[in-house]
Amino acid sequence: MELFKVTLSLIVIASLSATLSSAHPGFNFGWGGHGGSSGWPFSLFPEFYQFSCPQANDIVMSVLERAIANEPRMAASLLRLHFHDCFVQGCDASVLLDDSATIVSEKNSGPNKNSLRGFEVIDEIKAKLEEACPQIVSCADILALAARGSTILSGGPNWELPLGRRDSKTASLTTSNTNIPPPNSTLQNLVTLFKRQGLDEVDLVALSGGHTIGMARCVTFKQRLYNQNGNNQPDQTLEKGYYYNLKSVCPKSGGDNNISPLDFASPAKFDNTYFKLILWGKGLLTSDEVLFTGSAVTTMQLVKRYAEDESLFFDQFAKSMVKMGNISPLTGFKGEVRKNCRRVD
């Protein structure tokens, strides 16, 4: 009788394993389980595609290498895509959905319109993954892999990346407009918006360090140059020489799409120069400079520490990226794995 019970249990487990594997590609129902007790059996874990698509990261990196070699700025754009995805409905690739009969695209939100880039690179990665491993690797995981790969290829840190996200069937234009920190944010606003995602002040400063690569449009910092406090005066925290340099790029009238590097000293290199520039009053965006001037001891001290110790910044950036990538992922039977990242299957 006991033998019969054990055999029956094994059959049930095997059946459950097969069901989970088909509904949750890459999931391996091992005896040891994966992830912590809170999310078992559907936690994210780094080996998610170990058997279902072991070449997934290699495919992502091969596309990224070409794209970033052709346009170094693309690394920052892909990193930003992951941020703008996770801060809305969680890391579910909702940001990639185009307008349709059922979808109002997040691409049209204030923070994203005429600004978010890199969609064609994601399309290329997805197409190559569909050839190699059809309907296995989610668009949400592609965004996470592309963000890590872009950081590495720019000279930044590597990290063990938990995988297993699935793709949303919905998007939220409204949440995209309200949850993504604007470039003119006060420090309190930044802290509030990050806290909403379960991210603290350490995560805020470390993740802001992603601005060590990439560019920003004139429209995102024009207010600092001409009317920071509604008095037609520039932001007094701007270093004077830097202020005059920015005025030449960003006129008071027009030129909204002119671009300036977030870190003018090493715009394509992932390093800690961003924090050094903030100390010198040369942070490009209000949301950059307030990390040091916003009268919060914690953020001020972190800016100083990261400016002094690049390895400390790299270590925390990696940890905070993993934490951000874990915001409300769809796993198990939730969502889907899209064939095309731009539309729901």
Side-chain angles (χ1 to χ4, degrees), residues 205-228:
V205 179
L207 292 173
S208 294
H211 283 177
T212 182
I213 54 175
M215 315 286 279
R217 294 184 302 149
C218 161
V219 69
T220 63
F221 57 88
K222 181 175 286 192
Q223 176 183 322
R224 294 192 75 198
L225 304 180
Y226 303 105
N227 192 25
Q228 177 70 341

Side-chain angles (χ1 to χ4, degrees), residues 82-83 159 194 199-208 306 313-327:
H82 186 39
F83 274 73
W159 57 89
F194 271 69
L199 302 172
D200 59 24
E201 290 180 0
V202 176
D203 300 311
L204 164 61
V205 179
L207 292 173
S208 294
Y306 295 155
F313 162 51
F314 277 19
D315 181 62
Q316 187 56 55
F317 182 81
K319 289 176 181 174
S320 294
M321 283 295 290
V322 170
K323 190 173 173 182
M324 185 189 76
N326 287 345
I327 297 172

Side-chain angles (χ1 to χ4, degrees), residues 6 20 22 80 87 98 100 107 146 152 156 161 170 182 194 204 240 254 266 271 281 291 304 310 312 323:
V6 171
L20 288 170
S22 62
R80 186 167 178 250
F87 267 67
D98 286 339
S100 71
K107 296 176 183 179
I152 295 167
L161 178 61
T170 64
F194 271 69
L204 164 61
K240 285 293 183 284
S266 52
D271 55 23
L291 298 176
K304 287 180 180 177
E310 185 174 82
L312 180 68
K323 190 173 173 182

Side-chain angles (χ1 to χ4, degrees), residues 190-268:
L190 289 172
V191 170
T192 299
L193 289 172
F194 271 69
K195 190 174 182 180
R196 187 181 293 172
Q197 305 299 336
L199 302 172
D200 59 24
E201 290 180 0
V202 176
D203 300 311
L204 164 61
V205 179
L207 292 173
S208 294
H211 283 177
T212 182
I213 54 175
M215 315 286 279
R217 294 184 302 149
C218 161
V219 69
T220 63
F221 57 88
K222 181 175 286 192
Q223 176 183 322
R224 294 192 75 198
L225 304 180
Y226 303 105
N227 192 25
Q228 177 70 341
N229 297 307
N231 57 358
N232 294 314
Q233 295 298 311
D235 184 344
Q236 295 303 308
T237 66
L238 268 172
E239 191 272 336
K240 285 293 183 284
Y242 185 50
Y243 161 68
Y244 288 116
N245 177 271
L246 291 177
K247 282 185 72 176
S248 69
V249 176
C250 185
K252 190 169 186 177
S253 179
D256 283 1
N257 290 322
N258 295 350
I259 56 175
S260 183
L262 288 152
D263 164 1
F264 67 83
S266 52

Side-chain angles (χ1 to χ4, degrees), residues 42-341:
F42 294 133
S43 294
L44 304 181
F45 58 98
E47 303 82 16
F48 190 84
Y49 298 111
Q50 183 176 347
F51 300 107
S52 60
C53 194
Q55 68 273 51
N57 189 59
D58 290 340
I59 291 171
V60 172
M61 292 301 286
S62 68
V63 175
L64 291 181
E65 283 169 2
R66 288 195 305 275
I68 293 170
N70 185 51
E71 185 190 3
R73 181 188 172 199
M74 186 54 68
S77 297
L78 293 169
L79 183 58
R80 186 167 178 250
L81 261 182
H82 186 39
F83 274 73
H84 283 223
D85 181 40
C86 292
F87 267 67
V88 179
Q89 296 186 153
C91 308
D92 63 358
S94 62
V95 73
L96 300 178
L97 290 169
D98 286 339
D99 281 323
S100 71
T102 57
I103 297 292
V104 179
S105 178
E106 293 169 19
K107 296 176 183 179
N108 296 319
S109 72
N112 295 342
K113 192 169 185 179
N114 301 321
S115 172
L116 219 53
R117 308 167 70 247
F119 298 110
E120 294 78 10
V121 177
I122 300 298
D123 290 341
E124 184 181 350
I125 292 171
K126 181 60 174 173
K128 291 189 181 303
L129 284 169
E130 285 300 301
E131 286 176 17
C133 321
Q135 278 194 283
I136 295 294
V137 184
S138 68
C139 300
D141 275 346
I142 290 172
L143 285 175
L145 287 163
R148 180 181 65 171
S150 294
T151 301
I152 295 167
L153 292 172
S154 302
N158 191 358
W159 57 89
E160 191 172 61
L161 178 61
L163 297 165
R165 300 165 190 80
R166 286 166 66 86
D167 299 327
S168 171
K169 297 180 180 181
T170 64
S172 178
L173 179 67
T174 301
T175 313
S176 184
N177 275 318
T178 56
N179 274 18
I180 297 170
N184 62 346
S185 292
T186 62
L187 182 59
Q188 186 52 55
N189 190 31
L190 289 172
V191 170
T192 299
L193 289 172
F194 271 69
K195 190 174 182 180
R196 187 181 293 172
Q197 305 299 336
L199 302 172
D200 59 24
E201 290 180 0
V202 176
D203 300 311
L204 164 61
V205 179
L207 292 173
S208 294
H211 283 177
T212 182
I213 54 175
M215 315 286 279
R217 294 184 302 149
C218 161
V219 69
T220 63
F221 57 88
K222 181 175 286 192
Q223 176 183 322
R224 294 192 75 198
L225 304 180
Y226 303 105
N227 192 25
Q228 177 70 341
N229 297 307
N231 57 358
N232 294 314
Q233 295 298 311
D235 184 344
Q236 295 303 308
T237 66
L238 268 172
E239 191 272 336
K240 285 293 183 284
Y242 185 50
Y243 161 68
Y244 288 116
N245 177 271
L246 291 177
K247 282 185 72 176
S248 69
V249 176
C250 185
K252 190 169 186 177
S253 179
D256 283 1
N257 290 322
N258 295 350
I259 56 175
S260 183
L262 288 152
D263 164 1
F264 67 83
S266 52
K269 188 176 190 310
F270 199 101
D271 55 23
N272 68 334
T273 307
Y274 165 83
F275 295 105
K276 296 175 182 177
L277 292 173
I278 289 176
L279 292 180
W280 300 332
K282 297 178 181 180
L284 180 61
L285 306 177
T286 297
S287 58
D288 296 321
E289 198 62 49
V290 293
L291 298 176
F292 187 64
T293 62
S295 69
V297 175
T298 304
T299 63
M300 189 184 297
Q301 288 179 341
L302 285 167
V303 169
K304 287 180 180 177
R305 289 177 67 195
Y306 295 155
E308 293 165 358
D309 189 342
E310 185 174 82
S311 63
L312 180 68
F313 162 51
F314 277 19
D315 181 62
Q316 187 56 55
F317 182 81
K319 289 176 181 174
S320 294
M321 283 295 290
V322 170
K323 190 173 173 182
M324 185 189 76
N326 287 345
I327 297 172
S328 306
L330 297 173
T331 59
F333 301 101
K334 296 176 182 176
E336 64 182 3
V337 175
R338 293 182 213 140
K339 295 176 189 174
N340 181 325
C341 291

